[in-house]
Amino acid sequence: MNPKYKRLLILFLILSILGVATKLVLMALEENIIYFYTPNELKKKYGNVKNIENKIRIGGLVLEDSVVINKNESIFEITDKKDNIKVFFKGQLPDLFREGQGIVAEGILKDNKLIANQVLAKHDENYMPPEVADALIKSGVWQGEKKK
Amino acid sequence: MIPEIGHIFLIITFVATIMQILFWIYNIKSFDGFTVHILKRSALMNFLFILSSFFILTYSFIISDFSLLLVSNNSHSLKPLIYKISGVWGNHEGSLLLWVLILSTFTFLISIKNSSINSKLLSSIIGVQTIILCLFLAFILFTSNPFERVQVLPLDGRGLNPLLQDPGLALHPPMLYIGYVGLSVSFSFAVGALITGQINKEWAQQMMPWITIAWSALTIGIALGSWWAYYELGWGGWWFWDPVENASFMPWLIATALLHSVRVLEKKLVLINWIILLSILAFSFSLLGTFIVRSGLLTSVHAFASDPSRGVFILIILAIAIGGPLILYALKSSSFKEHKVQFNLMSKESAILMNNLFLTTATATVLIGTLYPLFLDAFNGNKISIGPAYYNATFAPIMAPVVFLMAIAPLLNWNQTKNKNLSKKLIFLIVATFFGMICLYMIEQSSLFAVICGSLSIWLFSGVVTDIISKIKESKIKFNKLRQFFFFISKINLGIHFAHIGVAVFLAGVTGEQFFKTEYSGRKNIGDVFNVGNQSLEFKKIEMLDGPNYRSQTATFNLLKDGKIINKLKPEKRFYPTEKSQTTEAAILTGFLGDTYLVLGDGNKEIGWSIRVYFNPLVSWIWGGACLMALGGLVSILQNRKSRKIIN
């Protein structure tokens, strides 16, 4: 094969691989991003929309006295001290799940309730998930951790 | 008093490195034997001082000297000895000290090992290593001093995060750091080549073992981390595409690309600029990995206390260590004399070139997935997360061709236009894979992706087998004597076969775990008998037990077969009073063909306990495969040493 064509062929190969990769990344980014809201942010953004098909993450504190655990599922409310959202969760709650603790729940919104497929709490007792901490500081509910 | 000595040692080394760098720059025009001699000696000195300093810190942890802030924050007098020691690097300050210890060790080893390197290159390499060392020492001394004293002496320490009190995790950071820091060697080789303006085949040969060591250590480090996440976090998975995992995976991908392309340079002078760029990139990703994890930019168990003043320092280090060489690269890279690329399309070189192309593209997709949420947050305050679905849709399809090529590339010859018997080998390969595919298809609940993933594993495995068989045929050796067998072994490139088989084993594990996993989750009470997949479990009892530094709620489950107990599973919930935290210990029955994995959740006698059970087929093959890959690296270093001795 003529060297010139060979070089063109290689260039073409490289470009097409990069092109396909870019396309894949863009498609995946469009479909697989999960947005994070606090209950108040969600209300501001979606207003009266009661159902959201795409997965979202809701973060905040577990509302005191809201936790009900029965045989099939756990029900609790997430609060940012302005708005609350009720969460239904069928799986196993994380070790550090308790009332007043900062958590993040992931799932779809159905009839203004979050049907969660995942509940995350971080590993450390003193630890607040950073998204939650940010949001709470922004809304003035919480002053943030005192630095040691 | 003793900790102050450790601190002073660090300060002395820091001042010494500055002087060494000045000396190095002063002599940069004319490196001679004398300069090398001085630099070698100072490498030894730096190493000894940092080693002593590290020992002093370790000693303070062992005797539980709580007058040190670091010890009182991260240790406890009741902790088992091994975790007192691993506690040294289970925190920000200590892990940085480990980092510089490994860096100075590598520098020292290069200075005594590679006597065959010409003095110009060796001086440049040691000089660049010293600059990195100096930057890190400054970082430690100014922002993260491990020897800081407390104001008020506490009665006892605050303990180490219970999740980190684990044998697998005691070894994970050192291995990972040997990998990260090992890549600094190839980085220094590259910058050294840019400074001296010389590059040749010997350069590639001398650099090869260092990359291989770094790559093997990185492989083991990542595998240990993944294994730990599997058995300790209790989520039943082994890789979560967590940003912190990605941070260690990206340097691995680039190092893998480098490992392959340097082999081309060993044969002929092509791809020089590309290899230099890759060397710089690999270490840049290591630095990025170290700092992304440590800066608290990303959150996970790895993110130790974050402090904004460190952020600026980190940016400065990154700018000098990555920006400097890249500018040098832009100025000098055009000066290298390279042979014109005359690749035959069906040659090993082009296969390796394709491998590099795919691997770097794959790295880019991981990088985008890792950093995109940070950028979006910085630009418009939107908080998002990117989960495994993104990586399955981007990374996996880009890596599939890499595995496809991996089976064929070793069958091709360097440079040659005609490959003997290539079509015969390929036909064998295709037939073997086809049979494998049919078997996979027959398995219950198998999906399209399961068949693709599994076939790639079989394809690769057959590729290695084909390669070995054809080499046996070509060598015309009769295996009637053990000596001839060893002779044959020493002839072939055993390391590569090990590593590639490792990938095949790994892929088999991934196929089993991803596509044939069975899962149950729900509440069960004492006395319940239930089925998961084709296994039957009985919830026997639940009790409170005391461990060395924790209290545990332990449940006992019987694994039944035909009504008989064949095994017991004891999942636990542990409460650590010192650290005031709770952990979940999954019960795992590890088998060659798969694991039974049981996690105990919350609960009480009225509503029962929440439990999760997984059957993960072939999951241990994932880490087994990684071990084989690392073993391949070690074997190839040993083999190369031997063959070089024979040549000499």
Side-chain angles (χ1 to χ4, degrees):
Chain A
M1 213 192 306
N2 187 318
K4 205 174 172 186
Y5 283 119
K6 207 185 277 175
R7 209 168 296 164
L8 271 178
L9 187 68
I10 291 176
L11 196 69
F12 175 74
L13 259 172
I14 293 175
L15 285 179
S16 53
I17 289 170
L18 288 179
V20 170
T22 317
K23 180 75 192 160
L24 283 174
V25 167
L26 288 178
M27 268 165 47
L29 279 180
E30 207 163 290
E31 286 163 16
N32 298 315
I33 281 182
I34 303 170
Y35 281 89
F36 170 94
Y37 306 103
T38 65
N40 184 252
E41 283 171 359
L42 187 75
K43 198 176 170 190
K44 270 193 214 150
K45 173 132 190 195
Y46 284 97
N48 293 323
V49 180
K50 287 192 169 164
N51 297 303
I52 300 172
E53 297 264 313
N54 289 337
K55 268 188 196 166
I56 50 169
R57 284 188 170 191
I58 302 287
L61 306 174
V62 180
L63 186 67
E64 308 276 342
D65 301 323
S66 73
V67 183
V68 179
I69 295 176
N70 58 38
K71 203 159 164 49
N72 293 319
E73 61 187 349
S74 317
I75 306 161
F76 57 92
E77 285 182 47
I78 292 182
T79 178
D80 55 8
K81 309 259 164 127
K82 287 185 178 162
D83 286 291
N84 305 340
I85 284 180
K86 204 162 209 172
V87 182
F88 289 79
F89 180 54
K90 283 205 159 81
Q92 223 169 38
L93 291 168
D95 286 337
L96 285 169
F97 179 90
R98 63 200 60 157
E99 294 182 348
Q101 178 84 19
I103 59 144
V104 176
E106 180 186 304
I108 52 169
L109 199 71
K110 208 171 174 185
D111 210 13
N112 252 345
K113 290 166 195 128
L114 191 74
I115 311 298
N117 62 329
Q118 214 180 6
V119 172
L120 307 162
K122 288 289 175 166
H123 309 296
D124 186 344
E125 184 79 353
N126 309 316
Y127 187 84
M128 179 76 87
E131 302 96 330
V132 178
D134 268 11
L136 289 181
I137 290 170
K138 227 189 288 170
S139 63
V141 175
W142 188 56
Q143 271 70 46
E145 249 176 280
K146 283 184 194 85
K147 288 265 174 263
K148 280 169 271 177
Chain B
M1 187 56 209
I2 291 176
E4 272 69 33
I5 297 177
H7 191 191
I8 289 169
F9 278 178
L10 284 184
I11 296 173
I12 293 175
T13 325
F14 173 61
V15 176
T17 52
I18 293 179
M19 285 159 64
Q20 289 154 22
I21 293 167
L22 291 176
F23 172 76
W24 178 73
I25 293 175
Y26 183 73
N27 287 301
I28 206 161
K29 282 269 175 327
S30 57
F31 289 133
D32 49 18
F34 175 69
T35 335
V36 181
H37 182 72
I38 298 281
L39 286 173
K40 276 182 176 176
R41 278 299 145 87
S42 37
L44 171 65
M45 197 201 76
N46 295 346
F47 166 64
L48 288 178
F49 271 100
I50 293 175
L51 185 69
S52 321
S53 178
F54 186 80
F55 273 140
I56 289 172
L57 187 65
T58 313
Y59 172 75
S60 308
F61 266 86
I62 291 174
I63 63 160
S64 295
D65 180 359
F66 294 125
S67 67
L68 279 189
L69 188 63
L70 194 66
V71 181
S72 75
N73 276 344
N74 295 291
S75 197
H76 190 276
S77 52
L78 292 180
K79 212 164 59 168
L81 180 66
I82 169 177
Y83 301 130
K84 279 185 185 164
I85 297 175
S86 74
V88 176
W89 52 79
N91 57 73
H92 174 77
E93 289 82 357
S95 68
L96 276 175
L97 190 58
L98 178 70
W99 211 100
V100 295
L101 173 65
I102 296 173
L103 182 66
S104 63
T105 313
F106 267 112
T107 314
F108 169 62
L109 286 178
I110 303 166
S111 76
I112 56 166
K113 209 67 203 153
N114 290 35
S115 48
S116 53
I117 301 183
N118 74 58
S119 60
K120 261 187 176 175
L121 181 60
L122 188 56
S123 308
S124 312
I125 291 171
I126 299 178
V128 176
Q129 293 279 79
T130 313
I131 295 176
I132 304 170
L133 186 62
C134 178
L135 288 172
F136 270 83
L137 283 171
F139 184 58
I140 291 181
L141 288 170
F142 293 124
T143 72
S144 331
N145 177 14
F147 295 106
E148 203 176 317
R149 294 278 189 178
V150 287
Q151 305 288 338
V152 187
L153 192 69
L155 284 176
D156 210 329
R158 297 176 16 158
L160 178 69
N161 185 344
L163 282 171
L164 304 181
Q165 297 187 23
D166 178 273
L169 215 62
L171 272 178
H172 162 70
M175 289 314 281
L176 207 58
Y177 278 13
I178 292 175
Y180 279 172
V181 180
L183 290 176
S184 76
V185 180
S186 48
F187 172 83
S188 298
F189 264 85
V191 180
L194 287 174
I195 292 172
T196 58
Q198 284 174 347
I199 203 162
N200 47 31
K201 290 175 188 171
E202 285 75 41
W203 181 88
Q205 281 161 9
Q206 283 153 349
M207 176 160 117
M208 194 62 177
W210 300 103
I211 307 173
T212 318
I213 290 175
W215 180 84
S216 301
L218 201 53
T219 311
I220 292 288
I222 295 172
L224 275 174
S226 144
W227 185 48
W228 169 81
Y230 172 73
Y231 69 71
E232 185 70 33
L233 293 181
W235 296 338
W238 55 278
W239 191 261
F240 304 96
W241 293 108
D242 183 271
V244 173
E245 292 171 328
N246 296 347
S248 66
F249 189 45
M250 288 186 284
W252 186 88
L253 286 169
I254 298 285
T256 311
L258 186 61
L259 198 60
H260 287 86
S261 49
V262 170
R263 291 197 62 224
V264 180
L265 190 57
E266 281 183 336
K267 302 283 170 191
K268 53 181 178 180
L269 283 179
V270 290
L271 298 180
I272 291 175
N273 287 324
W274 172 245
I275 286 166
I276 288 187
L277 188 62
L278 268 187
S279 309
I280 296 173
L281 270 185
F283 185 57
S284 306
F285 272 111
S286 298
L287 284 179
L288 205 67
T290 313
F291 285 136
I292 263 187
V293 171
R294 292 288 172 256
S295 64
L297 209 59
L298 302 170
T299 54
S300 73
V301 267
H302 296 76
F304 302 129
S306 56
D307 173 358
S309 74
R310 283 177 190 154
V312 182
F313 216 107
I314 286 170
L315 279 179
I316 294 172
I317 293 188
L318 285 181
I320 298 176
I322 302 175
L326 284 180
I327 292 170
L328 200 61
Y329 177 76
L331 293 176
K332 302 263 290 213
S333 68
S334 54
S335 66
F336 292 117
K337 274 186 215 120
E338 214 172 298
H339 293 303
K340 272 261 148 42
V341 185
Q342 284 173 325
F343 281 6
N344 189 309
L345 272 183
M346 288 300 273
S347 68
K348 222 171 233 181
E349 295 94 304
S350 1
I352 288 179
L353 195 64
M354 293 303 281
N355 146 305
N356 270 234
L357 186 60
F358 280 115
L359 281 173
T360 40
T361 314
T363 315
T365 63
V366 178
L367 185 68
I368 292 171
T370 314
L371 295 185
Y372 187 64
L374 294 175
F375 281 125
L376 204 62
D377 187 15
F379 282 131
N380 57 14
N382 271 336
K383 295 201 185 298
I384 59 159
S385 60
I386 289 178
Y390 165 82
Y391 298 95
N392 291 342
T394 56
F395 181 77
I398 295 170
M399 285 307 274
V402 175
V403 181
F404 181 78
L405 282 172
M406 234 166 131
I408 304 175
L411 303 177
L412 302 172
N413 290 330
W414 294 103
N415 215 2
Q416 207 167 311
T417 13
K418 275 246 171 88
N419 286 287
K420 253 199 317 190
N421 297 331
L422 181 64
S423 47
K424 232 190 209 169
K425 293 175 194 168
L426 284 182
I427 288 171
F428 176 79
L429 201 55
I430 291 165
V431 171
T433 312
F434 184 69
F435 275 110
M437 259 169 136
I438 291 175
C439 296
L440 274 168
Y441 187 72
M442 309 251 277
I443 304 176
E444 264 179 88
Q445 51 158 300
S446 107
S447 61
L448 174 66
F449 288 116
V451 172
I452 293 176
C453 194
S455 317
L456 279 173
S457 166
I458 297 165
W459 168 258
L460 182 53
F461 188 78
S462 329
V464 178
V465 172
T466 316
D467 195 16
I468 294 176
I469 292 177
S470 65
K471 283 207 173 107
I472 291 175
K473 273 190 179 164
E474 281 160 25
S475 68
K476 298 198 180 80
I477 288 179
K478 288 194 186 70
F479 289 94
N480 45 10
K481 274 189 192 143
L482 203 60
R483 246 190 72 212
Q484 274 169 327
F485 173 71
F486 281 121
F487 177 71
F488 172 72
I489 292 285
S490 69
K491 278 299 221 190
I492 62 171
N493 208 328
L494 206 56
I496 293 175
H497 296 313
F498 266 117
H500 284 191
I501 289 272
V503 178
V505 171
F506 168 81
L507 272 177
V510 172
T511 313
E513 201 275 341
Q514 288 284 310
F515 302 107
F516 298 100
K517 174 182 203 165
T518 43
E519 188 180 339
Y520 165 85
S521 149
R523 277 184 193 275
K524 289 288 166 202
N525 220 324
I526 297 169
D528 286 353
V529 178
F530 54 100
N531 291 322
V532 179
N534 45 17
Q535 289 177 310
S536 178
L537 281 161
E538 182 191 11
F539 193 164
K540 192 77 188 160
K541 62 180 175 195
I542 198 155
E543 59 200 329
M544 292 300 291
L545 299 170
D546 278 328
N549 53 348
Y550 57 84
R551 277 183 69 72
S552 141
Q553 188 179 29
T554 309
T556 307
F557 288 82
N558 289 331
L559 190 63
L560 306 173
K561 197 174 188 181
D562 307 325
K564 275 183 210 151
I565 300 171
I566 51 167
N567 229 322
K568 280 192 171 145
L569 287 135
K570 296 191 169 189
E572 290 177 54
K573 270 206 162 314
R574 285 186 188 165
F575 179 72
Y576 289 77
T578 322
E579 292 86 358
K580 291 201 194 61
S581 65
Q582 195 177 328
T583 66
T584 304
E585 302 289 315
I588 306 171
L589 274 182
T590 306
F592 184 68
L593 289 179
D595 287 10
T596 310
Y597 188 110
L598 206 162
V599 190
L600 179 70
D602 64 299
N604 54 46
K605 283 203 172 116
E606 276 87 62
I607 56 171
W609 277 266
S610 134
I611 59 161
R612 258 177 310 143
V613 190
Y614 302 96
F615 183 69
N616 297 327
L618 301 187
V619 70
S620 43
W621 292 33
I622 290 173
W623 306 292
C627 288
L628 277 174
M629 289 183 223
L631 186 68
L634 290 183
V635 168
S636 81
I637 294 173
L638 294 177
Q639 245 189 346
N640 277 344
R641 269 183 58 155
K642 222 173 169 188
S643 60
R644 208 170 295 147
K645 260 185 202 154
I646 293 167
I647 292 166
N648 291 344

